[in-house]
């Protein structure tokens, strides 16, 4: 699964501002947390919030609680290298070596008076890495803060979780998320039809940063073909093998669409928001409800195994063959 890092100005993310100020106060207070765990749904902006907190914690001249942008610390952040920051991006499995480096980092004298370790996608730590982190968390060095981020907190060992202060990051409301997407795309010079944005947000499970990563991945060009392929598959106009091959060219997006279409087939209120998809919904609604439920469960399982199984194409093809009988 891809994790595109979407560059967004933090102050343009309205629903995270309260979280930011509340958390920054904790770090600047008398009893700052040694380790903070930001958790919640994927794509609500936890990574963006973690980055903002780091800048805020390390800035020497906060202005209204926000990083000043001009002090040495802020300039280091902008340059991409800060001597008091050790960041693990968690783009792939996090191995023990990356965690062991923290011990060396902990021994350095901070330039700004504090040091921060950030571990994004912390649930990607393997067992050795998690055990190694636990050792540091058990005897936290002074002046060193940990910020962990995870969309699958349940995958982390309870021993690690119990050493962290949990903080749940809420998703914005649908309207708030839509406004944010609209505002951002307009600023980038893109005029996107409201219904298109609404659908993009819906297939992103209302997670705006997920929606943004799809946009950056040429969503606008892909969506038409993709919907046509799904329509043609379901109406038996193309073979499952051919259709699935086309779908898997945009694997994440295709799974998102299939989940969205299936779940919406159970909710009339949701379907009515997307008149353009009526033809696909009609085909789905002609299939028995029980069957749609069963297919939904099977799709969840295929999706779960996507990163570990080698032949997602076979599994998805078999899924369509089952569905179409
Ligand atoms: Zn600053």
């Amino acid at each position: 699964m891809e994790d595109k890092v979407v560059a967004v100005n933090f102050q343009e993310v309205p629903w995270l501002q309260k979280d930011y100020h509340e958390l920054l106060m904790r770090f600047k207070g008398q009893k700052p947390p040694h380790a903070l765990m930001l958790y919640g749904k994927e794509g609500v902006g936890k990574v963006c919030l973690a980055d903002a907190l780091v800048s805020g914690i390390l800035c020497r001249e906060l202005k209204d609680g926000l990083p000043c942008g001009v002090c040495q610390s802020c300039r280091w952040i902008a340059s991409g290298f800060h001597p008091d920051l050790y960041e693990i991006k968690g783009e792939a499995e996090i191995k023990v070596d990356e965690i062991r480096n923290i011990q060396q980092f902990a021994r350095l004298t901070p330039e700004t008076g504090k040091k921060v370790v950030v571990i994004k996608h912390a649930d990607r730590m393997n067992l050795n890495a998690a055990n190694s982190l636990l050792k540091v968390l058990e005897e936290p060095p002074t002046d060193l803060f940990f910020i962990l981020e995870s969309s699958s907190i349940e995958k982390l060992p309870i021993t690690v979780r119990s050493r962290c202060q949990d903080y749940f990051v809420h998703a914005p409301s649908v309207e708030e998320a839509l406004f944010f997407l609209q505002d951002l795309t307009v600023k980038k010079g893109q005029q996107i039809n409201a219904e298109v944005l609404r659908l993009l947000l819906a297939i992103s499970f209302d997670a705006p940063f997920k929606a943004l990563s799809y946009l950056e991945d040429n969503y606008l060009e892909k969506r038409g073909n993709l919907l046509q392929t799904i329509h043609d598959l379901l109406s038996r106009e193309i073979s499952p093998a051919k259709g699935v091959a086309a779908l898997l060219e945009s694997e994440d997006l295709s799974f998102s669409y299939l989940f969205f279409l299936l779940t919406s087939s159970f909710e009339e209120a949701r379907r009515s928001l997307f008149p353009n998809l009526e033809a696909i919904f009609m085909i789905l609604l002609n299939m028995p409800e029980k069957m749609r439920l069963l297919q939904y469960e099977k799709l969840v399982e295929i999706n779960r195994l996507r990163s570990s199984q080698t032949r997602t194409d076979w599994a998805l093809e078999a899924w369509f063959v089952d569905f179409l009988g």
Side-chain angles (χ1 to χ4, degrees):
M1 269 172 267
E2 69 215 78
D3 291 299
K4 283 218 160 171
V5 179
V6 184
V8 171
N9 181 352
F10 180 71
Q11 279 154 268
E12 288 170 2
V13 191
W15 67 93
L16 295 178
Q17 302 304 313
K18 198 166 154 270
D19 294 325
Y20 166 83
H21 288 286
E22 188 185 322
L23 289 170
L24 190 65
M25 279 211 337
R26 286 193 205 173
F27 281 107
K28 300 277 180 186
Q30 291 295 316
K31 279 189 171 177
H34 278 298
L36 178 77
M37 168 75 74
L38 299 174
Y39 72 104
K41 199 164 75 166
E42 189 199 340
V44 298
K46 301 187 300 303
V47 169
C48 192
L49 177 61
D51 288 340
L53 278 172
V54 169
S55 304
I57 292 169
L58 295 175
C59 172
R60 312 299 296 270
E61 310 269 347
L62 284 175
K63 287 221 163 67
D64 299 326
L66 293 166
C68 70
V70 290
C71 73
Q72 178 63 59
S73 177
C74 285
R75 278 183 281 144
W76 272 324
I77 292 275
S79 78
F81 172 79
H82 196 304
D84 296 338
L85 172 63
Y86 180 70
E87 183 185 7
I88 296 173
K89 291 201 164 105
E91 281 157 349
E93 182 184 31
I94 302 172
K95 297 189 174 144
V96 70
D97 288 349
E98 282 184 275
I99 302 294
R100 279 200 192 117
N101 289 341
I102 296 172
Q103 286 165 8
Q104 200 191 345
F105 174 74
R107 285 193 287 271
L108 302 172
T109 308
E111 300 281 340
T112 55
K114 302 176 187 92
K115 285 179 291 182
V116 186
V117 171
V118 177
I119 306 177
K120 294 171 180 172
H121 304 286
D123 48 88
R124 292 183 184 161
M125 276 189 290
N126 66 24
L127 195 61
N128 281 339
N131 285 334
S132 177
L133 178 66
L134 190 61
K135 280 188 205 131
V136 199
L137 290 178
E138 277 169 344
E139 291 163 36
T142 45
D143 307 328
L144 179 59
F145 299 131
F146 285 83
I147 299 177
L148 283 75
E149 179 273 334
S150 171
S151 305
S152 309
I153 196 176
E154 71 287 348
K155 289 185 190 157
L156 278 160
I158 192 79
T159 43
V160 169
R161 283 173 58 183
S162 66
R163 301 272 163 190
C164 300
Q165 206 175 88
D166 279 355
Y167 190 89
F168 180 70
V169 182
H170 285 271
S173 69
V174 171
E175 292 314 315
E176 201 172 9
L178 276 175
F179 185 80
F180 164 76
L181 288 175
Q182 208 138 31
D183 192 44
L184 209 69
T185 47
V186 166
K187 278 181 189 147
K188 286 185 177 177
Q190 282 178 303
Q191 288 286 351
I192 306 176
N193 172 296
E195 188 185 327
V196 171
L197 274 187
R198 195 175 276 279
L199 178 59
L200 170 62
L201 188 64
I203 65 157
S204 308
F205 299 96
D206 300 332
F209 281 83
K210 181 91 188 152
L212 280 181
S213 75
Y214 279 147
L215 270 181
E216 300 224 326
D217 200 22
N218 294 328
Y219 172 78
L220 296 174
E221 285 155 43
K222 289 175 178 173
R223 65 185 192 102
N225 279 340
L226 214 142
L227 278 169
Q228 189 63 45
T229 303
I230 293 174
H231 174 273
D232 293 350
L233 266 166
L234 293 174
S235 58
R236 298 183 174 81
E237 281 164 51
I238 52 171
S239 71
K242 193 177 168 208
V244 165
L247 291 185
L248 291 186
E249 282 173 23
S250 320
E251 192 174 316
D252 263 5
L253 194 56
S254 295
F255 272 87
S256 293
Y257 262 111
L258 291 174
F259 278 120
F260 164 77
L261 291 167
L262 268 177
T263 51
S264 302
S265 78
F266 300 103
E267 291 174 62
E268 203 198 333
R270 207 159 174 213
R271 289 197 300 277
S272 66
L273 293 171
F274 305 103
N276 286 348
L277 299 179
E278 201 187 341
I280 295 183
F281 285 137
M282 287 306 285
I283 303 172
L284 285 173
L285 288 170
N286 275 326
M287 295 173 172
E289 189 174 319
K290 253 191 182 164
M291 187 183 196
R292 278 182 275 138
L293 272 173
L294 186 68
Q295 288 303 111
Y296 174 78
E297 282 165 17
K298 284 184 192 168
L299 195 65
V300 169
E301 186 61 12
I302 297 172
N303 186 47
R304 194 177 66 80
L305 293 173
R306 220 146 50 89
S307 53
S308 55
Q309 76 187 354
T310 45
R311 300 303 305 252
T312 301
D313 53 345
W314 288 1
L316 195 59
E317 193 182 321
W319 184 84
F320 272 104
V321 169
D322 275 357
F323 206 1
L324 302 170

